[in-house]
Amino acid sequence: MRLSARVDYALRAMAELAAAADQKSDGPTPMTAEQVARAQDIPPKFLESILLQLRRAGLVHAQRGPEGGYWLARPAREIGLGQVIRAIDGPLANVRGQRPEDLGYTGAAAALQEVWIALRASEREILDLVSIQDVATGKLPDRVRDLTADPAAWA
């Protein structure tokens, strides 16, 4: 699986916004794009366009002005990593820009379609299981911990 820099930055920004929300319980905790960029070492102008995509996808809210900034549109526990990835880069697991179910393999390669669909299902299992809150708090689901406990996963 290859994730773009945009997705990496979006996930890091969402985790930062979640951590800010956890620090204050009386309403949204806006963070400016500059604050998020500084905290996660993300190029500020690049981050602004990513935050705009996240806002359009309904994952963050934004407010202008001196008290403005960005904050999560829903509780972090309700936002899966897969939602963020899809908002930034579109559908998971495509082959040459096409969805696996739309591919037409024949002959000896026919089973590849099922492999790509299974790969997408496997990605979804993890990416939709893990929430932004899980990342922000470092408390990952047992399934993720089990997978990363295997030394072969790191190679």
Side-chain angles (χ1 to χ4, degrees):
M1 173 176 205
R2 177 170 286 184
L3 295 175
S4 67
R6 290 183 77 78
V7 164
D8 180 52
Y9 292 161
L11 292 168
R12 290 164 50 193
M14 293 290 285
E16 196 64 38
L17 293 173
D22 278 351
Q23 309 235 341
K24 185 176 168 190
S25 60
D26 59 335
T29 308
M31 286 185 77
T32 66
E34 181 61 39
Q35 289 171 316
V36 174
R38 200 172 330 114
Q40 288 296 318
D41 196 25
I42 299 171
K45 289 293 182 192
F46 197 27
L47 179 61
E48 286 180 24
S49 71
I50 292 167
L51 289 167
L52 179 61
Q53 275 185 278
L54 294 171
R55 186 177 63 78
R56 287 183 179 151
L59 296 173
V60 300
H61 288 305
Q63 179 179 322
R64 295 183 186 269
E67 300 296 317
Y70 295 88
W71 64 95
L72 298 180
R74 301 191 302 276
R77 70 181 173 280
E78 296 177 12
I79 303 172
L81 301 187
Q83 290 176 283
V84 177
I85 293 169
R86 288 181 201 96
I88 299 298
D89 274 356
L92 300 175
N94 63 59
V95 179
R96 298 183 325 265
Q98 292 183 297
R99 298 170 59 92
E101 61 272 16
D102 295 336
L103 298 171
Y105 291 110
T106 59
L112 278 175
Q113 183 178 41
E114 289 182 61
V115 172
W116 303 148
I117 290 171
L119 175 64
R120 181 180 59 192
S122 178
E123 286 178 350
R124 280 181 181 163
E125 177 188 356
I126 297 300
L127 295 174
D128 291 340
L129 172 68
V130 180
S131 73
I132 293 297
Q133 181 175 335
D134 297 332
V135 173
T137 62
K139 297 176 183 169
L140 298 173
D142 290 341
R143 175 78 175 119
V144 173
R145 297 240 183 251
D146 292 344
L147 288 168
T148 59
D150 179 0
W154 296 86

